[in-house]
Amino acid sequence: MKQLVLATGNLGKVKELSELLAAFDLEVLPQSHFKVSDVPETGTTFVENAIIKARHAAYITGLPAIADDSGLEVDFLKGAPGIYSARFAGERATDQDNINKLLKELEGVPESQRTARFHCVLVLMTHADDPTPVICHGKWEGYITTQAVGENGFGYDPVFFVPTEGVVSAQLDKSRKNQLSHRGKALQLLSTKINKKLGQ
C-alpha cells in the first residue's frame, strides 16, 4: 500500500481524506506522524499556501503529499477574511472570536449584500520538486447570517447560510455537508486525478 502524507495536524481532515481515498489503496498519514513542523504560510492566495505546505511535507518525508488551504470570501468585505480566515480576529483567535468579528464587520448590511463563499484548494505533489502539482479547487456559495446557530461543523459554519438547504452549514448532517461543501467538491476532483498522478 502506497503511503501519502497529509500536510495538516487536523485528524478530522486525515480521516475524511482516508475515507474518500479508501478505494485507491493508499495509506494517508498526518504530517505529525513524521514530526513535520508547520511551515509559515507566506503565500497571498489559497493556491500558494497549499503548495507551500505540500512541498514542505514532501521534502521532510520523501513521500507524495497533499495539502489543503481553505477559507471564507465575503463579497461586501472585498474578499476578506480570505487566506486569513483562521486568524481573522488575531493569531490565537478562536472560531467564536472570528465569527464575532465577521458579524460586527457586517452589522447593518442587508441580506442581499452578505453573499459569500467557502473555497478549498487541495494540492497533490509527488515529491518536493514536483513541477506540475495537481491543483483542485472547490467552492460553496451562500451568505452570512446575522447570528450564529447550529451545533455541527467548525469555523464559520454557524453563520454560513446554504440557500439550497434552507439552513446554515452547522445545521447540516455530516454526510450532506460532505456532498455540498467546498472541501467535498475539491476531494471529488482530486479522486478523479490521483491514480494518474501517482502512477497507480
Side-chain angles (χ1 to χ4, degrees):
M1 184 179 281
K2 193 160 192 168
Q3 288 188 329
L4 189 112
V5 61
L6 184 60
T8 180
N10 184 324
L11 293 177
K13 287 184 185 177
V14 175
K15 185 172 184 293
E16 202 172 85
L17 198 66
S18 297
E19 287 167 3
L20 192 97
L21 300 177
F24 295 94
D25 196 33
L26 291 167
E27 184 183 5
V28 181
L29 298 164
Q31 65 179 17
S32 57
H33 183 84
F34 302 96
K35 297 185 168 52
V36 176
S37 60
D38 286 334
V39 64
E41 296 177 33
T42 54
T44 58
T45 64
F46 295 122
V47 173
E48 288 173 8
N49 282 334
I51 288 173
I52 287 167
K53 289 187 275 191
R55 180 175 287 132
H56 178 68
Y59 176 75
I60 300 292
T61 64
L63 294 171
I66 291 177
D68 149 304
D69 202 53
S70 49
L72 179 70
E73 174 190 16
V74 179
D75 293 321
F76 186 81
L77 301 179
K78 298 182 171 59
I83 61 168
Y84 304 107
S85 293
R87 49 191 190 277
F88 190 40
E91 279 302 322
R92 291 183 175 81
T94 64
D95 287 350
Q96 193 59 55
D97 293 336
N98 288 329
I99 286 172
N100 292 344
K101 179 174 169 65
L102 179 64
L103 293 181
K104 188 164 177 50
E105 301 250 340
L106 292 175
E107 213 170 306
V109 176
E111 185 182 299
S112 62
Q113 293 178 47
R114 300 173 78 97
T115 50
R117 67 210 48 83
F118 278 121
H119 291 276
C120 173
V121 171
L122 286 174
V123 166
L124 168 62
M125 300 182 82
T126 53
H127 53 83
D129 297 315
D130 188 344
T132 56
V134 170
I135 300 169
C136 299
H137 174 215
K139 64 179 181 175
W140 193 16
E141 298 284 344
Y143 66 83
I144 305 304
T145 57
T146 55
Q147 59 184 28
V149 291
E151 302 297 321
N152 302 331
F154 59 94
Y156 297 93
D157 286 343
V159 293
F160 185 77
F161 188 81
V162 187
T164 58
E165 308 300 297
V167 295
V168 296
S169 175
Q171 292 172 304
L172 292 170
D173 70 53
K174 190 177 171 185
S175 63
R176 184 61 178 152
K177 183 188 174 187
N178 287 346
Q179 288 175 330
L180 298 169
S181 78
H182 50 308
R183 186 166 292 109
K185 289 171 183 171
L187 282 169
Q188 288 298 335
L189 276 173
L190 182 66
S191 70
T192 66
K193 300 177 179 183
I194 197 161
N195 269 356
K196 188 174 181 185
K197 180 67 174 172
L198 296 179
Q200 298 210 143

